[in-house]
């Protein structure tokens, strides 16, 4: 059995080579635009179905921080149930944005960086892609710190000595020496799972749902039993009244959406794996808010019980677990803590992969496609996220944490441009071949590869929120600015969307269609795969035959397929 596992791991590791697959015939400036990974996915790699997307969100959202996501609203005066209601309401709103912004990924099976090329230009896409890659790498480091804390609880359950190791990390670190050991173990385990191709992770997505259910039931039952009930926190009403309560409800409803801005911006990165494009609709609209609601509900009930058990509120379940075993270091308590922390660790690994490694890998591969594949991007993300010492960033830089929390204003402007370009300007159509060429006659070449319309709209989308952004970073501002910033994500989307539409109306690009037409294909298939039959994809042959009979591909340059064709 062990030898079979080792053989599988060896087979999964690709042979070392400098250039990425599919770049043999790519030359000149096109070397910065093309490889096999960033092109539309092959049929065999489109493995995620409706149930995968329904359960995927438990893999992405079942994090330790989401266990106590509604606690900040309670600290300011809302009840636990009001806080949860605001959170899930905002997440239901952002789920709609996720579906709409990821639709191009589900239809054409390309990722966020390639969609940027369509709107920002083949070279102009580098900035939003690089921008998002840096943030994904930073967040990967931040999440790894949390994963290290999960592993630390496991190690503490095995031996009390780890809690007594001399701390050499200093006061500015979020991790002590024992936590750093946990971080190292977590980092290595995550790298091990990065070997597995994303299309083959479907079974692990399902497994994480099972792991979450087991850990949630176990910790909920254990803590509520020790507390003799759910505790007063879950029963007590909110303390805020009048207009203060109204503004809190508005604020945290909108924050429920804004805090998930990353998922909305890079929705195409995971929707491109869809077996059928419409599988993502129900999976996202229902799965995303439901997963967040269940995770937050369980976490808040567990946190509420700590008031009874320890006489104070402990929102972080890892801190709660470690206190449970530290105050009564029996074999039973240690076994329970080890088991639950192991489940948290497994969940943290795949949250890190899907939230950070996946988008970072797509971005890095698109930035340097001649030499880097998506898988190489995964490992570059892992190495850099270790090198930036995230334990010090979290431990000593409050402005840094505020910056991460406020990054929504930049993502919302990008999202608004992408939505307008796909739905309004090109009416669901992408000229696939032109997304991978630097030729001046390409429809996405714009002005030397840059689309000024997209950048102007991007800046205008940021401008109304920038004062509020500075205020959130510590700069003094009037109360009206603070309240206006609650709407920052929505303002960014609508302003960038509207201004991009206006600029395209004033100066139409090479590829645009009237609103009376809709040019989206049924499901894009690579030219070399048309006519193939893929196991489990009975719909593919008929779709491909229809394409061949009509003689259609991505169309001649500047001559898209007729609107009446739906392939």
């Amino acid at each position: 059995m062990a030898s079979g596992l080792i053989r599988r791991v060896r087979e999964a590791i690709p042979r070392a080579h400098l250039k990425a697959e599919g770049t043999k015939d790519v030359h000149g400036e096109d070397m910065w635009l093309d490889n096999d990974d960033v092109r539309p996915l092959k049929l065999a790699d489109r493995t995620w179905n409706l149930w995968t997307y329904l359960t995927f969100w438990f893999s992405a959202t079942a994090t330790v921080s989401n266990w106590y996501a509604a606690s900040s609203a309670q600290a300011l005066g809302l009840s636990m149930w009001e806080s949860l209601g605001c959170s899930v309401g905002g997440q239901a709103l952002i789920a709609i944005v996720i579906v709409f912004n990821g639709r191009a990924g589900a239809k054409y099976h390309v990722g966020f960086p390639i969609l940027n090329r369509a709107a920002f230009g083949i070279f102009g896409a580098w900035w939003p892609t690089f921008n998002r890659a840096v943030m994904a790498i930073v967040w990967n480091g931040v999440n790894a710190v949390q994963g290290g804390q999960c592993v630390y609880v496991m190690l503490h359950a095995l031996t009390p000595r780890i809690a007594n190791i001399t701390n050499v990390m200093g006061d500015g670190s979020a991790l002590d020496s024992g936590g750093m050991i946990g971080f190292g173990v977590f980092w290595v385990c995550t790298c091990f799972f990065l070997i597995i191709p994303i299309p083959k992770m479907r079974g692990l997505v399902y497994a994480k749902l099972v792991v979450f259910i087991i850990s949630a039931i176990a910790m909920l039952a254990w803590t509520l039993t020790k507390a003799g009930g759910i505790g007063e926190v879950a029963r007590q009403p909110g303390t805020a009244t009048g207009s203060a309560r109204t503004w809190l409800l508005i604020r945290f409803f909108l924050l429920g959406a804004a805090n998930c801005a990353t998922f909305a911006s890079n929705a195409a990165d995971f929707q491109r794996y869809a077996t059928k494009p419409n599988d993502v609709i129900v999976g996202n609209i229902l799965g995303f808010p439901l997963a967040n609601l269940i995770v937050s509900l369980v976490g808040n009930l567990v946190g509420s019980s700590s008031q009874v058990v320890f006489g104070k509120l402990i929102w972080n379940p890892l801190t709660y677990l470690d206190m449970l075993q530290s105050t009564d270091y029996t074999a039973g308590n240690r076994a329970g803590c080890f088991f639950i922390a192991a489940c948290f660790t497994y969940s943290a690994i795949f949250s890190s992969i899907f939230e950070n490694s996946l988008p970072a890998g797509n971005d890095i591969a698109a930035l340097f496609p001649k030499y880097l594949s998506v898988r190489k991007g995964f490992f570059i993300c892992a190495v850099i996220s270790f090198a930036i010492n995230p334990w010090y960033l979290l431990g000593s830089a409050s402005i840094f944490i505020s910056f991460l929390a406020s990054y929504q204003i930049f993502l919302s402007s990008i999202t608004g441009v992408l939505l307008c370009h796909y739905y309004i300007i090109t009416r669901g159509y992408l000229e696939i071949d032109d997304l991978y060429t630097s030729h001046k006659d390409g429809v996405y070449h714009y002005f030397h590869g840059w689309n000024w319309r997209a950048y102007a709209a991007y800046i205008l989308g940021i401008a109304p929120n920038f004062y509020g952004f500075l205020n959130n970073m510590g700069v003094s501002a009037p109360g009206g600015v603070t309240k206006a910033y609650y709407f920052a994500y929505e303002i960014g989307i609508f302003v960038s969307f509207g201004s991009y539409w206006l600029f395209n109306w004033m100066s139409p690009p090479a590829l645009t269609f009237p609103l009376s037409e809709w040019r989206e294909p049924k499901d894009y298939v690579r030219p070399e795969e048309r006519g193939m039959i893929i196991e489990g994809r009975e719909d593919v042959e008929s779709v491909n035959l229809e394409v061949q009979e009509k003689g259609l591909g991505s169309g001649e340059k500047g001559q898209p397929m007729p609107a009446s064709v739906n392939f």
Side-chain angles (χ1 to χ4, degrees):
M1 181 177 178
S3 61
L5 180 60
I6 293 173
R7 186 181 70 256
R8 287 184 184 180
V9 172
R10 285 179 177 174
E11 291 174 351
I13 301 175
R15 294 181 179 180
H17 47 82
L18 180 60
K19 295 183 179 180
E21 184 179 348
T23 60
K24 182 179 179 181
D25 299 320
V26 179
H27 305 287
E29 288 186 318
D30 287 0
M31 67 182 289
W32 301 107
L33 299 173
D34 197 7
N35 74 29
D36 199 57
D37 272 5
V38 299
R39 281 192 164 269
L41 281 178
K42 297 176 181 177
L43 291 170
D45 290 334
R46 305 176 188 181
T47 59
W48 290 25
N49 58 30
L50 170 64
W51 295 106
T52 311
Y53 284 101
L54 276 171
T55 55
F56 164 78
W57 289 114
F58 285 94
S59 295
T61 64
T63 61
V64 171
S65 57
N66 275 349
W67 273 60
Y68 56 95
S71 60
S72 57
Q74 294 173 59
L76 293 176
L78 294 182
S79 71
M80 189 184 89
W81 302 106
E82 288 173 333
S83 302
L84 288 172
C86 288
S87 181
V88 74
Q91 288 152 0
L93 179 64
I94 202 69
I96 298 172
V97 181
I98 290 173
V99 169
F100 275 95
N101 199 40
R103 184 170 177 84
K107 285 287 186 178
Y108 291 92
H109 305 278
V110 293
F112 168 81
I114 306 306
L115 297 181
N116 279 333
R117 294 179 185 177
F120 288 86
I122 54 169
F123 298 131
W126 285 352
W127 168 246
T129 302
F130 173 78
N131 202 308
R132 210 277 306 266
V134 170
M135 290 307 300
I137 290 171
V138 172
W139 272 113
N140 195 59
V142 170
N143 287 349
V145 170
Q146 197 172 79
Q149 293 168 337
C150 296
V151 176
Y152 170 80
V153 175
M154 293 173 61
L155 297 176
H156 194 194
L158 295 175
T159 173
R161 294 182 180 179
I162 195 168
N164 300 318
I165 296 176
T166 302
N167 184 23
V168 297
M169 298 303 297
D171 295 334
S173 174
L175 297 174
D176 59 14
S177 295
M180 277 303 300
I181 294 173
F183 179 92
V185 172
F186 179 85
W187 186 85
V188 171
C189 290
T190 302
C191 288
F192 177 84
F193 281 104
L194 288 176
I195 295 172
I196 304 171
I198 294 295
K200 296 182 180 180
M201 283 191 181
R202 184 172 62 171
L204 298 174
V205 171
Y206 297 148
K208 186 178 174 183
L209 175 61
V210 176
V211 167
F212 167 73
I213 292 173
I214 293 173
S215 62
I217 292 175
M219 190 163 185
L220 190 62
W222 187 16
T223 54
L224 293 187
T225 300
K226 290 183 73 69
I230 61 175
E232 290 301 317
V233 174
R235 299 190 186 96
Q236 64 189 21
T239 56
T241 58
S243 62
R245 177 175 175 273
T246 301
W247 276 109
L248 281 174
L249 290 171
I250 294 172
R251 175 183 178 182
F252 285 98
F253 171 80
L254 296 173
L255 272 177
N259 287 342
C260 305
T262 303
F263 287 127
S265 66
N266 70 330
D269 283 342
F270 50 86
Q271 293 192 25
R272 68 186 298 222
Y273 295 98
T275 303
K276 298 178 181 179
N278 289 338
D279 284 346
V280 304
I281 298 176
V282 176
N284 287 319
I285 288 182
L286 179 62
F288 184 73
L290 180 62
N292 278 283
L293 172 63
I294 293 174
V295 172
S296 296
L297 178 60
V298 171
N300 276 265
L301 290 175
V302 168
S304 175
S305 71
S306 66
Q307 180 76 58
V308 179
V309 178
F310 290 109
K312 61 180 180 178
L313 278 172
I314 305 168
W315 291 114
N316 190 323
L318 295 175
T319 305
Y320 196 177
L321 272 179
D322 206 42
M323 288 182 67
L324 285 171
Q325 67 179 356
S326 297
T327 54
D328 190 11
Y329 201 68
T330 63
N333 278 356
R334 291 163 59 193
C337 287
F338 181 90
F339 174 77
I340 295 173
C343 291
F344 279 141
T345 301
Y346 183 85
S347 295
I349 287 173
F350 286 97
S351 295
S352 181
I353 290 173
F354 292 132
E355 288 184 38
N356 307 303
S357 299
L358 178 59
N362 277 282
D363 292 343
I364 293 169
L367 289 170
F368 307 101
K370 179 74 173 180
Y371 302 102
L372 299 178
S373 64
V374 170
R375 182 178 290 182
K376 288 178 182 177
F378 291 164
F379 289 99
I380 291 173
C381 171
V383 171
I384 298 178
S385 65
F386 194 118
I388 62 175
N389 298 339
W391 49 90
Y392 285 121
L393 293 176
L394 286 176
S396 58
S398 58
I399 292 180
F400 167 75
I401 296 172
S402 296
F403 174 76
L404 291 180
S406 303
Y407 202 70
Q408 50 159 309
I409 71 164
F410 303 100
L411 296 178
S412 64
S413 287
I414 295 172
T415 302
V417 169
L418 293 180
L419 286 169
C420 183
H421 184 86
Y422 187 75
Y423 289 97
I424 302 298
I425 308 305
T426 61
R427 302 298 288 152
Y429 179 77
L430 294 178
E431 183 69 50
I432 292 296
D433 289 344
D434 284 7
L435 290 168
Y436 303 93
T437 181
S438 59
H439 291 168
K440 292 182 179 180
D441 60 348
V443 295
Y444 305 117
H445 194 267
Y446 298 113
F447 180 75
H448 298 288
W450 297 71
N451 186 3
W452 66 267
R453 306 165 190 81
Y455 272 94
Y458 171 68
I459 293 170
L460 286 176
I462 293 172
N465 296 318
F466 198 70
Y467 195 1
F469 169 75
L470 294 177
N471 176 238
N472 209 43
M473 299 285 288
V475 176
S476 178
V481 172
T482 302
K483 290 180 178 177
Y485 193 66
Y486 298 161
F487 301 86
Y489 185 76
E490 290 73 20
I491 290 173
I493 284 184
F494 282 109
V495 171
S496 60
F497 186 104
S499 56
Y500 185 66
W501 191 354
L502 174 63
F503 294 142
N504 279 273
W505 176 77
M506 293 169 56
S507 176
L511 183 65
T512 184
F513 298 106
L515 293 176
S516 59
E517 300 180 16
W518 183 244
R519 300 280 181 138
E520 187 180 69
K522 181 178 180 182
D523 195 6
Y524 182 83
V525 179
R526 286 188 179 198
E528 67 270 23
E529 291 189 313
R530 291 168 187 170
M532 292 175 58
I533 300 176
I534 302 297
E535 184 177 354
R537 291 291 308 275
E538 294 84 355
D539 60 310
V540 169
E541 183 183 23
S542 61
V543 169
N544 293 329
L545 287 176
E546 183 181 352
V547 172
Q548 289 180 326
E549 288 171 1
K550 294 181 181 295
L552 297 167
S554 57
E556 297 293 330
K557 286 282 192 297
Q559 296 295 324
M561 54 193 161
S564 60
V565 176
N566 189 28
F567 71 94

